[in-house]
Amino acid sequence: MTDEQFPDAPPPEMFRAEYWDERFAAPERIWSGNPNVALVAEAAGLEPGRALEVGSGEGDDARWLAERGWEVTATDISAVALEKAAARVAEQVPEAAARITWRQADIYTWVPPEGAYDLVTSHYLPPRPERRAEVFGGLAAAVAPGGTLLLVSHALRDLEDGVPRPPWPEMFPTLEDMAALVPEDRWETVTLEERPRPAVYNGTEYTIHDVVLRARRRS
């Protein structure tokens, strides 16, 4: 994949439900069917409670959390993604499905209830750059005292390393961007790093990097 295949800037339709409905309407799965590796690494030791997942996609992270006893609210902009995810989880793990509430929500118009969740997590959510601080700040505000915020994004260095991603640097938050969400007087930062992992795109192996933020809200 080359830069010439991408427009110069993120197209407006990328942030609309219709775009994602069309993408998730394909019969084949988009992703692996496994939970995100950073979620497993960072949340496996947490005491289950109330979880909010934003950008739940095909439902694999929500299923993994529910299997471990979490009561999960899984949100996505795409009603198609939610319908398919709910059906798949109900068929494969009905006991976990009973602990998941699927909710269609647009992060630009829906604000999660403040202080309502013991875990708020989102992986690779692509908010508009000019509204990223607002969107991520709303997710941080939804964490209850003593709860955990886990945000994972693609790292800017992936573009420099030739990973086939859209050439839009403004879409890749830095460690500094993430650190600004969790000021020390209100948060204890547990993890803030660029974490490498292997990946294969179009038959080529890459080492990609995730920006991982895990923080605990002070009581």
Side-chain angles (χ1 to χ4, degrees), residues 10 15 108 126-134 168-172:
F15 305 103
Y108 300 114
R128 299 176 185 272
E130 70 275 11
R131 295 190 64 182
R132 181 169 55 223
E134 172 193 348
W168 306 324
E170 68 275 15
M171 294 292 291
F172 298 80

Side-chain angles (χ1 to χ4, degrees), residues 64-80:
W64 184 86
L65 288 166
E67 286 178 317
R68 280 146 188 83
W70 290 87
E71 296 292 332
V72 184
T73 298
T75 72
D76 201 278
I77 195 173
S78 170
V80 173

Side-chain angles (χ1 to χ4, degrees), residues 36-53:
N36 279 298
V37 294
L39 177 69
V40 175
E42 299 294 332
L46 298 178
E47 185 71 23
R50 300 155 298 170
L52 172 66
E53 186 201 357

Side-chain angles (χ1 to χ4, degrees), residues 122-161:
S122 185
H123 283 67
Y124 314 114
L125 187 70
R128 299 176 185 272
E130 70 275 11
R131 295 190 64 182
R132 181 169 55 223
E134 172 193 348
V135 169
F136 284 169
L139 300 188
V143 178
T148 294
L149 176 69
L150 176 60
L151 299 177
V152 181
S153 299
H154 296 303
L156 179 61
R157 67 175 291 173
D158 282 358
L159 293 183
E160 303 165 357
D161 292 345

Side-chain angles (χ1 to χ4, degrees), residues 127-209:
R128 299 176 185 272
E130 70 275 11
R131 295 190 64 182
R132 181 169 55 223
E134 172 193 348
V135 169
F136 284 169
L139 300 188
V143 178
T148 294
L149 176 69
L150 176 60
L151 299 177
V152 181
S153 299
H154 296 303
L156 179 61
R157 67 175 291 173
D158 282 358
L159 293 183
E160 303 165 357
D161 292 345
V163 178
R165 302 204 187 285
W168 306 324
E170 68 275 15
M171 294 292 291
F172 298 80
T174 65
L175 291 174
E176 291 74 19
D177 292 331
M178 302 298 255
L181 299 171
V182 287
E184 291 183 0
D185 61 330
R186 287 176 286 168
W187 296 85
E188 174 192 354
T189 299
V190 179
T191 303
L192 181 62
E193 65 180 13
E194 288 189 1
R195 183 176 298 169
R197 62 184 176 89
V200 177
Y201 293 103
N202 299 322
T204 300
E205 295 184 0
Y206 295 89
T207 296
I208 65 175
H209 289 79

